Amino acid sequence: MNSPIYSVDAECRDCYKCVRHCPVKAIRVENDHATVAPEGCILCGRCVGVCRHSAKRVRDDLPRVRALLWRDANVQVSLAPSFISEFPGIRPAQLASALKKLGFAGVHETAEGAERVSQVVAELLDQANSGLFLSSACPVAVDLVVRHQPGLASMLTPVMSPMLAHARMLKARFGHDAAVVFIGPCIGKKRDADRSPDLLHSALTFEELRRWFDCCGVDPASLADDPGYAAPGTGARYPLEGGMNQTIRDFLKRRDMDDALVTVSGLERIASELKTLERRRPGQPPLFLELLACEGGCVAGPRASARNAVAARLDVAAYARGERPRAPAEVAIDQTWHPEPVAEPDCTEEELSDTLKTLGKTQPEDELDCGGCGYNSCRALARAIRNGAAERQMCVSHMRQLAQKKMNALARALPYGLVVADAQLRILECNERFGAMFDETLALAYASKPGLQHADLTRILPFPSIFRSVLDTGREIIRKSVKVEERIYSVTVFNIEPHSVVGALILEVTDTEKRRQQLIEKSRSVVTNTTKTVQEIAYRLGQNSAQSELILNSVIELFAADAPDPCGREE
Ligand code: SF4
Ligand code: SF4
Ligand code: SF4
């Protein structure tokens, strides 16, 4: 089965936004395309959320589930408790009716599985004298631990996620041939489903469910309540930050652990807390951390609607309020977690500094750590380049320096005066030839400020109107001859950013023009003399000389076609 998050290379604009937002840098850039590296990806879904070009997508499992419903009558839904904030204004029993209309045989809340998880974790904690316990309810947080902080994998509580626990409960209730489909806000659950096909057929997101309702014209708000729909129990608090801990407290027998049940939500916070806890001394009193990858809990899951977080929280809290702890079905939900470290070859300081040099960073102060490449530091980018996960051209400052060097070399080598100006006719760049082109004052100004950045072109150039015309119309002017006093220039003005930045190549062609004018004058006198002679001969022979005259005149016009425009100094 394909990874639940995949890349569409053709849509990628190599902006590195996904790299910047990926908390574990599980995105490789190859041939200018950012691709998800499945071995490191923890399915947090951030890259999907931030990519404005839809180049990162979530696998669509709807076709598989619809095909399942066509061939199988015993398909049960495990519905994540955050549905209450996802479909505000719709009664849970109405949503159950809508799901049955799609073809499901029964609809049940995952809250039931969550209660069983809390019960088993409470039993573990009741017996614990010491140690760190990490919740295993959120698959993204679990993957963060086993893949990126594998030293802590053994601290994960040896229990399944509420989704898998619930699937096992449903199978026990409806028979082992029953198929279970989970529906919730989470992308990470798709991988859990892929890994446990014996328990779960698929995990759909709320986004997929909405699409399904839309395409089948099912409107839950218009349906009557499903009479068989059961109350959720205290597990309904799970999608809220702290909800799992509250439910564990309901089952805990000891009372000395109330303050040792701590919630940490948000991947960055989890990663930094775990780093400090790695150093926790053995033998310290038991501490349980409820880990939620999404800040605020599953109500803010990656495939939940972008609702106001406070309103969503209030909806879920109101729904769960008043629910009493109940005794969940005693199914076995044990699960062992193993470290799955992501292989990252180490590199020596020497190798790292060699790579930094190829990025133009030879001194510590060259390391800007600007984050433009998507990595937090120049060293992190250099390490990724060495590991084949990144490319040199991702360094924006290096590419800018390189472009500037190329531009300078080209400008130096050009036999033309080169000037680049913005829409206000301020100079952005010019070469030395341009500086020496008009008068001594300009040459002195260039000597004191090479490049003449920000200088007013209208005060320097005798023919700024040509630039203005290209900026206004966007139509380029190619090799126009312009006369300024005794001098003649060949001027080409071209677009760099139409209507906002133009460039010009200017060549003084006074001598060439003079020679051309002389040639025209000489040709004209030759034509006049020849015409006279031809007319005389024609007169004597009685023939028409008009055709010969036409041919000779067209030769002169050809030479004269590019006669320079006179152009005085403009204000
Ligand atoms: S966010 Fe990532 S996938 Fe999307 S266009 Fe930018 S680099 Fe490509
Ligand atoms: S889903 Fe998360 S971990 Fe995976 S590549 Fe995207 S941002 Fe990175
Ligand atoms: S906190 Fe987010 S990632 Fe974790 S289970 Fe909930 S929705 Fe999924």
Side-chain angles (χ1 to χ4, degrees), residues 138-140 185-186 189 292-294 297-298 301-302:
C138 166
V140 175
C186 187
K189 299 278 202 304
L292 293 160
C294 301
C298 303

Side-chain angles (χ1 to χ4, degrees), residues 118-394:
S118 289
Q119 184 186 38
V120 174
V121 172
E123 284 165 13
L124 268 171
L125 296 177
D126 271 332
Q127 289 157 20
N129 295 319
S130 62
L132 174 66
F133 296 83
L134 304 177
S135 71
S136 52
C138 166
V140 175
V142 167
D143 272 350
L144 178 73
V145 173
V146 296
R147 293 180 174 206
H148 298 280
Q149 288 183 278
L152 293 173
S154 60
M155 314 282 175
L156 287 162
T157 48
V159 291
M160 291 174 172
S161 68
M163 173 184 76
L164 292 182
H166 193 217
R168 180 155 284 172
M169 287 168 144
L170 293 176
K171 288 225 174 226
R173 198 178 308 157
F174 295 99
H176 280 277
D177 59 341
V180 181
V181 172
F182 171 84
I183 303 175
C186 187
I187 303 169
K189 299 278 202 304
K190 285 183 182 277
R191 189 184 275 157
D192 266 9
D194 295 349
R195 284 171 178 158
S196 311
D198 50 326
L199 287 178
L200 205 68
H201 179 273
S202 313
L204 294 181
T205 63
F206 286 141
E207 186 270 331
E208 284 166 308
L209 178 61
R210 283 183 184 282
R211 217 162 6 100
W212 197 356
F213 282 154
D214 284 350
C215 85
C216 292
V218 174
D219 174 16
S222 67
L223 299 177
D225 287 354
D226 174 26
Y229 195 72
T234 51
R237 302 173 192 147
Y238 253 64
L240 300 177
E241 206 173 40
M244 180 185 195
N245 279 342
Q246 272 188 45
T247 322
I248 292 173
R249 279 190 196 99
D250 291 340
F251 289 103
L252 259 185
K253 293 195 178 71
R254 66 198 283 180
R255 289 275 61 99
D256 62 337
M257 265 205 79
D258 279 4
D259 295 336
L261 303 181
V262 178
T263 305
V264 186
S265 81
L267 284 165
E268 282 72 17
R269 267 200 68 209
I270 294 176
S272 79
E273 293 294 338
L274 292 187
K275 274 213 172 76
T276 57
L277 286 167
E278 261 174 341
R279 296 191 291 273
R280 197 168 189 260
R281 286 191 315 278
Q284 286 195 282
L287 170 66
F288 175 80
L289 296 189
E290 173 193 358
L291 304 179
L292 293 160
C294 301
E295 225 167 289
C298 303
V299 281
R303 280 325 226 193
S305 303
R307 277 191 72 212
N308 177 293
V310 177
R313 195 184 160 85
L314 290 175
D315 284 349
V316 175
Y319 184 53
R321 194 175 305 128
E323 292 297 327
R324 296 276 162 267
R326 55 188 175 181
E330 298 225 343
V331 294
I333 58 164
D334 45 301
Q335 173 150 6
T336 317
W337 304 103
H338 299 288
E340 297 169 22
V342 182
E344 199 177 272
D346 250 357
C347 59
T348 63
E349 184 55 37
E350 200 184 342
E351 288 170 330
L352 207 58
S353 77
D354 282 350
T355 310
L356 283 166
K357 275 183 201 145
T358 66
L359 297 173
K361 297 170 194 327
T362 50
Q363 310 290 329
E365 54 271 25
D366 296 333
E367 294 174 32
L368 305 178
D369 295 344
C370 66
C373 56
Y375 286 83
N376 294 336
S377 67
C378 301
R379 292 183 155 247
L381 172 67
R383 200 168 288 118
I385 291 173
R386 287 210 73 85
N387 295 342
E391 294 178 332
R392 249 181 285 286
Q393 55 267 37
M394 290 169 74

